[in-house]
Amino acid sequence: MALNVFDHDEYRPPVWKSYLYQLQQEAPHPRRLTCTCEGDNRPKYYGREYHGMISREEADQLLSQAEGSYLIRESQRQPGTYTLALRFGNQTRNFRLYHDGKHFVGEKRFESIHDLVTDGLITLYIETKAAEYIAKMTINPIYEHVGYTTLNQEPTLKKHLPQSPEAPDGPAPAKDDRNAEERLTSLVRRATLRESDLAAKYEKVHNFKVHTFRGPHWCEYCANFMWGLIAQGVKCADCGLNVHKQCSKVVPNDCQPDLRHVKKVYSCDLTTLVKAHNTKRPMVVDMCIQEIEARGLQSEGLYRISGFSELIEDVKLAFDRDGEKADISSNAYEDLNIIAGALKLYFRELPIPLITYDAYPRFIETGKIADAEKRLESLHEALKLLPPAHCETLRCLMAHLKRVTEYEKENLMSSENLGIVFGPTLMRAPGLDAMTALNDIRYQRLVVESLITNEDVLF
């Protein structure tokens, strides 16, 4: 039975393109030109490839015999600096050479000169032979036809796995399921999950980091080989997508974080967390709010009185370790202020605040508006600047805090008091001097107070 992922299309595995791989195999091999003279001034991190203070012309003559040959020389113009002389394309190329524990001439750092030269020859050869091809790699990518996501939504995945018509009814053997899943590439996984209704429909950019791939790897955007010895491309730290650095600039913002990569709850980007767990809001927010409201909102000084910091840290560790299975019931934590403190801590530790850095100036300007009606209009516009997951979480929190104010006579927590508590927790601006940050506290309070008071109108 075919694996159907689109309405009219049948899934076809991507065709990995071998042209750049073949070029890497053809690239010149490094040939170290050893120096026969013994020198006392040779740096300890260089070997016999070091030839001392020789001129460019001398280096060129020594290297003229073979493609890929190389040596290291000390600069005559700037003593104490070193140059890697490398023969490529029937000419000698000179690169300023650095060492800080590793060898480098550019961004990449290498354990040995041999590795640096090997990678350099591969890069020079491929970028010389295939410059036009590389420039057009991002045209007609396989990503557009197959796409990418992760293996989080197991029920949906299994629904789309190919079934043998001869297979009997009932669950297939565990070993067969496992083998089938292992055969699915990251690209296939997106195809199988593409139509899932379980995933939160939030846009998320990929969190790409330079990565060294062991063994041959192909780009999951353009299907071309990722050449080089180290740092051949980038890998998304949240979903595991592997692409060329240049391809990463055109990959759509459709990261589907994988729980195997997202290993904590606190200090994790909010959108990353909700997409990894397929929820509308972070589970820590929902669970803490539910627990607080279940125990009663009449607790005096709710959110103002601090719980024991060690126990709040215990709650944090429980969420990081157990996720939605964390036990925050009264049996585990009798003091409600511990749960309230854990919720505030979650917001304080967000790498991007709930009211994001980009939206912060607009919200602060809103707080400065004296006219209540105009402030409300400005707040409505400012909320549009928030990412969907942030806006939804803010809506849920403000609705909860509005319910807290309904018991103001018992808990003594008005919207103004809650604004004082949550203003600096939900809003932070990077790079502000201490005086400006201090002055902003007043407006942070007014913003949160207005959000609570007008929650039913704004959201």
Side-chain angles (χ1 to χ4, degrees), residues 379 383 394 398 447-455 458-459:
L379 263 181
L383 287 169
L394 183 63
M398 293 303 108
V447 166
V448 175
E449 183 180 347
S450 297
L451 287 170
I452 295 171
T453 305
N454 300 286
E455 169 269 332
L458 289 169
F459 296 98

Side-chain angles (χ1 to χ4, degrees), residues 303-332:
Y303 289 116
R304 178 177 57 81
I305 298 174
S306 299
F308 288 112
S309 58
E310 290 184 3
L311 293 178
I312 291 174
E313 192 69 20
D314 281 347
V315 175
K316 170 187 170 180
L317 294 174
F319 275 113
D320 282 342
R321 182 183 63 247
D322 304 324
E324 60 187 12
K325 295 180 181 179
D327 182 9
I328 59 171
S329 66
S330 56
N331 293 330

